[in-house]
Amino acid sequence: MAAAEQTEKAFQKQFGVNVGFAASTKKKAPGKAGTRYYKNVGLGFKTPREAIEGTYVDKKCPFTGNVSIRGRILTGVVKSTKMKRTLIMRMDYLHYIKKYQRYEKRHTNIAAHISPCFRCKEGDTVVVGQCRPLSKTVRFNTLKVIAAGSKAGKGFAAN
């Protein structure tokens, strides 16, 4: 953990990992017994390899930090990644109009925290899960990123 990415003024360390204590001669493998803390968030989402083997420190990451996922799971398209470790996701949905017995299209923009273990750009599809409030506007955490050109989900069929 000595090679952690230190970019902030305060020393960044993982919750539950003692850095600098009991200097052992043998090198421990990353994992639950090693020098890196990570967990399985459940709900069928795999822990990314970068979260297990990476060196980043992010207390708001659902895989390596102190955040639990509970409540809603939403899917949408990434609209903006200009903020640090935060993205804006556009979620399209249908709203029923009882008088006309028809649906109208609506959308909402949702701010979600994105862990450094994910590589994400505009146009990608993301799956986010609800968590405790992480800031004034962020209440969701990214659990999965599906690249824009990948085969997962709907896509354009070339003939």
Side-chain angles (χ1 to χ4, degrees):
M1 196 61 211
E5 297 167 7
Q6 297 294 331
T7 57
E8 307 295 326
K9 287 184 177 179
F11 180 73
Q12 302 294 306
K13 65 186 187 83
Q14 276 195 310
F15 176 75
V17 177
N18 291 326
V19 180
F21 294 100
S24 61
T25 55
K26 64 176 185 170
K27 188 171 172 93
K28 291 183 181 175
K32 297 227 184 248
T35 57
R36 182 149 179 90
Y37 170 80
Y38 69 92
K39 65 181 178 184
N40 180 9
V41 297
L43 303 166
F45 293 100
K46 283 187 173 180
T47 304
R49 185 165 302 285
E50 179 65 25
I52 299 169
E53 299 171 356
T55 58
Y56 71 89
V57 178
D58 183 12
K59 65 180 183 179
K60 296 178 182 178
C61 173
F63 305 105
T64 63
N66 188 21
V67 176
S68 60
I69 302 298
R70 79 285 192 282
R72 298 190 178 272
I73 306 291
L74 306 174
T75 306
V77 179
V78 176
K79 193 174 178 185
S80 169
T81 57
K82 294 175 185 173
M83 289 180 278
K84 184 179 178 182
R85 294 187 181 178
T86 307
L87 59 82
I88 300 295
M89 176 192 93
R90 179 186 169 116
M91 189 184 78
D92 295 310
Y93 62 96
L94 296 174
H95 178 251
Y96 184 69
I97 307 297
K98 196 165 27 172
K99 179 180 177 183
Y100 298 111
Q101 298 180 6
R102 280 167 174 74
Y103 293 90
E104 68 180 2
K105 280 187 182 179
R106 287 190 180 183
H107 84 275
T108 184
N109 292 333
I110 295 171
H113 181 269
I114 183 160
S115 172
C117 66
F118 292 117
R119 300 285 169 258
C120 184
K121 58 185 183 299
E122 292 180 22
D124 290 350
T125 303
V126 290
V127 178
V128 297
Q130 190 178 6
C131 59
R132 64 176 169 82
L134 301 176
S135 70
K136 180 182 172 183
T137 57
V138 178
R139 275 102 176 93
F140 288 88
N141 225 313
T142 306
L143 299 173
K144 188 177 178 183
V145 175
I146 302 162
S150 69
K151 299 280 184 190
K154 292 183 183 177
F156 182 75
N159 291 335

